[in-house]
Amino acid sequence: MREDIDEIIGILNKKSDRIVISTNGFFTDRILSAAKQNKNIGIRISLEGLAEKNDCLRGLKNSFDRGLRTLLEIKKLGLKDIGIAVTVSDENADDLINLYQLSKKHKVEFATAVVHNSYYFHKYDNEIKNRNQVTTQFEKIIKRQLKTWNIKTWYRAYFNKGLIKYISGGARLLPCTAGTDMFFLDPWGEVRPCNGMEQSIWMDSFGNLHNSSFDEIWNSQKAKEIRNSVKNCPKNCWMIGTASPAIKKYPIKPTLWVIKNKLINLFG
């Protein structure tokens, strides 16, 4: 929807080793235009189920067909870092396996998430009520991922195990390093530890880029105080933005889990 996306990518290319854009894929021509000029970017097409379910949840007619068409077209361009992303809830859990199989068929990545509440999502009443139904679907995905011989996919299985823990109301598998190993920059220039904050629980900002430089904000006393608050955050969110840095920072526990469950998967 942004007409200046090429300019944004051009600036970020100088500052980052990897850029990934999430999109529903509806505006195929615009996305292809950006992809043709920036073949090193990653693109994830958000699909919330098969055609009928996706269009219903998205509230956008033909959005599944448009999204899938966009995925196939950017694949033709030769982009390597592309995939399907799904946010799972009670409403679409039964389509999870089908979307995974779709990603395997087209040899693209498969990214998962579950519904969370936060100021960023403008949502505070998300709740998975049929936990058994949803966790059962994730268990099926994990088994399929562990059957592959792709190491990255094994760690995705671990990430999905963390989603099961979150759905079940348990603590995070790994400590949250939001505000230390990653940050979230919102559209108004606020530098926050993550995008999962809720006003009713806790909400804070390191500072605003309109008022101070990033280095000043990142190394401020305020930033130190917020990092301490992150350690005591009660939300136990498990989203890729905070889970991925934690997996890289604390690799022993995920690796042991992968080895154990890969062996179980092989030998029963």
Side-chain angles (χ1 to χ4, degrees):
M1 294 175 67
R2 295 192 66 104
E3 296 181 357
D4 59 351
I5 191 67
D6 289 335
E7 183 182 359
I8 292 172
I9 294 172
I11 292 170
L12 293 178
N13 266 330
K14 301 172 184 177
K15 301 176 179 289
S16 176
D17 295 330
R18 183 171 181 244
I19 300 169
V20 180
I21 296 175
S22 295
T23 171
N24 64 4
F26 195 80
F27 295 113
T28 304
D29 291 342
R30 296 188 194 180
I31 296 167
L32 287 176
S33 175
K36 287 176 182 177
Q37 299 180 57
N38 304 278
K39 291 190 176 182
N40 61 323
I41 63 172
I43 296 178
R44 296 292 178 271
I45 305 296
S46 297
L47 299 176
E48 310 308 342
L50 298 183
E52 183 179 358
K53 181 60 65 177
N54 176 81
D55 292 2
C56 175
L57 289 174
R58 285 273 165 188
L60 193 60
K61 187 178 180 180
N62 297 325
S63 60
F64 178 87
D65 292 344
R66 297 280 288 266
L68 184 57
R69 182 180 293 110
T70 298
L71 180 73
L72 298 177
E73 290 296 328
I74 58 177
K75 187 179 179 183
K76 287 180 185 176
L77 291 177
L79 272 72
K80 304 299 183 184
D81 190 2
I82 58 177
I84 294 170
V86 54
T87 301
V88 181
S89 64
D90 289 321
E91 287 81 6
N92 65 351
D94 288 342
D95 279 354
L96 185 59
I97 294 295
N98 291 323
L99 289 175
Y100 176 72
Q101 291 174 332
L102 184 66
S103 71
K104 294 288 288 182
K105 178 181 179 180
H106 293 292
K107 298 180 180 179
V108 297
E109 304 284 353
F110 186 68
T112 50
V114 297
V115 288
H116 282 66
N117 293 308
S118 84
Y119 87 100
Y120 175 71
F121 301 128
H122 304 282
K123 194 72 173 169
Y124 300 100
D125 60 353
N126 275 325
E127 180 184 4
I128 293 179
K129 296 178 180 178
N130 195 340
R131 294 181 179 181
N132 288 336
Q133 175 203 17
V134 178
T135 57
T136 296
Q137 299 306 314
F138 273 111
E139 290 285 4
K140 292 178 182 178
I141 290 290
I142 290 171
K143 288 179 181 179
R144 284 166 170 76
Q145 290 174 323
L146 289 171
K147 285 181 179 178
T148 71
W149 289 100
N150 184 302
I151 295 176
K152 185 177 181 181
T153 302
W154 300 346
Y155 284 89
R156 283 212 177 96
Y158 179 81
F159 173 76
N160 285 330
K161 188 66 177 178
L163 289 177
I164 291 176
K165 195 79 178 290
Y166 173 76
I167 293 167
S168 302
R172 284 174 58 102
L173 292 179
L174 298 169
C176 182
T177 59
T180 300
D181 297 323
M182 52 82 65
F183 67 91
F184 174 68
L185 175 63
D186 80 10
W188 299 275
E190 297 291 341
V191 179
R192 302 187 188 276
C194 69
N195 66 340
M197 308 183 93
E198 292 184 54
Q199 191 73 52
S200 62
I201 298 176
W202 78 292
M203 184 94 166
D204 216 334
S205 168
F206 290 172
N208 193 294
L209 288 177
H210 292 292
N211 304 322
S212 306
S213 71
F214 180 80
D215 286 341
E216 290 173 331
I217 292 171
W218 192 247
N219 298 305
S220 66
Q221 180 61 35
K222 179 71 171 178
K224 294 178 182 178
E225 294 171 1
I226 291 177
R227 289 183 184 115
N228 286 328
S229 297
V230 168
K231 296 176 183 178
N232 301 310
C233 179
K235 291 197 64 176
N236 290 314
C237 297
W238 189 256
M239 293 185 280
I240 196 63
T242 53
S244 179
I247 290 171
K248 293 174 182 176
K249 189 169 187 174
Y250 306 105
I252 295 177
K253 185 177 178 181
T255 300
L256 291 175
W257 183 92
V258 165
I259 293 171
K260 174 185 175 182
N261 286 277
K262 182 63 179 176
L263 292 173
I264 290 172
N265 190 273
L266 283 173
F267 303 112

